[in-house]
């Protein structure tokens, strides 16, 4: 049994719910929950603590003792580099992270995976939840990527939770909001 107060839900997809206490992350696995990013939850979880291919998770969950104490809280990913993730796998395990100014090494997924690099190292981004299936990556552009750091066997990798979390860095102006930056001439 795990008793806790105000764990922040950092993301949820499929049977995976990722939470943090502000320092470490944890995966609640096995039951599609109604929790969403920004929820704070408190209570007691009955579960088994397991290692699945070296990834730590809580499985066989009983969430009946858990309540949502607040909604809409800010979820701030932890800024990291690829080398930091690789060197400190357990520190970043199940943590929502942001990588800045990375490039994709190919323009499409291959078996749900794609490699990305920051010039110093590379890491696999996995489309474990089917959110990037039709995504075309521009290998000449830089991106900011937010994803959950996970471990599979001996390697750290990233799981994308939403296509919105893959942002191309560009200087293009959004036509819907461009008018707000322009000076209005009064006749």
């Amino acid at each position: 049994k795990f008793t806790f107060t105000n764990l922040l839900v950092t993301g949820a997809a499929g049977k995976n719910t990722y939470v943090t206490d502000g320092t470490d992350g944890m995966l609640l696995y096995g039951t599609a929950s109604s929790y969403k990013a920004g929820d704070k939850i408190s209570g007691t979880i009955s579960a088994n603590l397991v290692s699945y291919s070296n990834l730590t998770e809580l499985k066989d969950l009983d969430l009946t003792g858990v309540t949502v104490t607040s909604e809409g809280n800010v979820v701030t990913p932890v800024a990291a580099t690829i080398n930091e993730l690789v060197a400190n796998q357990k520190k970043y395990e199940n943590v929502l992270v942001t990588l800045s100014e990375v490039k994709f090494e190919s323009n499409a997924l291959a078996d749900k995976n794609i490699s990305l690099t920051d010039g110093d190292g590379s890491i696999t981004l996995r489309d474990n939840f089917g959110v990037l299936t039709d995504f075309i990556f521009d290998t000449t552009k830089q991106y900011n990527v937010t994803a959950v750091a996970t471990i599979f066997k001996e390697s750290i990798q990233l799981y994308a939770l939403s296509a919105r979390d893959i942002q191309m860095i560009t200087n293009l102006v959004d036509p819907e909001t461009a008018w707000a930056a322009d000076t209005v001439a009064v006749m």
Side-chain angles (χ1 to χ4, degrees), residues 39-96:
D39 286 350
K40 283 195 177 177
I41 57 175
S42 296
T44 301
I45 295 177
S46 295
N48 290 317
L49 180 63
V50 299
S51 176
Y52 175 77
S53 294
N54 286 336
L55 177 69
T56 307
E57 58 187 43
L58 292 178
K59 190 176 176 185
D60 306 319
L61 306 168
D62 177 359
L63 300 171
T64 55
V66 178
T67 58
V68 175
T69 55
S70 66
E71 297 177 351
N73 297 285
V74 174
V75 176
T76 305
V78 175
T81 65
I82 292 172
N83 283 343
E84 288 171 337
L85 294 175
V86 171
N88 303 293
Q89 292 185 24
K90 284 297 184 182
K91 174 183 176 183
Y92 291 101
E93 178 183 33
N94 295 315
V95 172
L96 186 68

Side-chain angles (χ1 to χ4, degrees), residues 26-185:
M26 178 55 73
L27 167 60
L28 309 179
Y29 177 77
T31 305
S33 72
S34 59
Y35 308 132
K36 58 191 176 308
D39 286 350
K40 283 195 177 177
I41 57 175
S42 296
T44 301
I45 295 177
S46 295
N48 290 317
L49 180 63
V50 299
S51 176
Y52 175 77
S53 294
N54 286 336
L55 177 69
T56 307
E57 58 187 43
L58 292 178
K59 190 176 176 185
D60 306 319
L61 306 168
D62 177 359
L63 300 171
T64 55
V66 178
T67 58
V68 175
T69 55
S70 66
E71 297 177 351
N73 297 285
V74 174
V75 176
T76 305
V78 175
T81 65
I82 292 172
N83 283 343
E84 288 171 337
L85 294 175
V86 171
N88 303 293
Q89 292 185 24
K90 284 297 184 182
K91 174 183 176 183
Y92 291 101
E93 178 183 33
N94 295 315
V95 172
L96 186 68
V97 298
T98 294
L99 300 175
S100 298
E101 300 177 358
V102 296
K103 286 188 173 185
F104 288 93
E105 295 181 348
S106 61
N107 64 358
L109 297 169
D111 295 323
K112 294 188 173 187
N113 296 319
I114 191 165
S115 292
L116 49 98
T117 183
D118 61 5
D120 293 325
S122 67
I123 194 168
T124 298
L125 175 70
R126 180 163 177 79
D127 187 21
N128 206 49
F129 307 112
V131 297
L132 302 175
T133 354
D134 300 325
F135 214 92
I136 303 298
F137 303 92
D138 186 337
T139 58
T140 65
K141 303 286 185 185
Q142 289 185 323
Y143 291 77
N144 293 329
V145 175
T146 300
V148 175
T150 66
I151 298 174
F152 182 69
K153 297 186 178 176
E154 302 300 319
S155 299
I156 193 157
Q157 58 185 352
L158 302 173
Y159 284 179
L161 296 175
S162 166
R164 293 182 310 274
D165 294 334
I166 312 299
Q167 296 290 318
M168 182 188 296
I169 299 171
T170 178
N171 60 359
L172 295 177
V173 176
D174 181 350
E176 295 295 321
T177 59
W179 65 268
D182 291 343
T183 303
V184 178

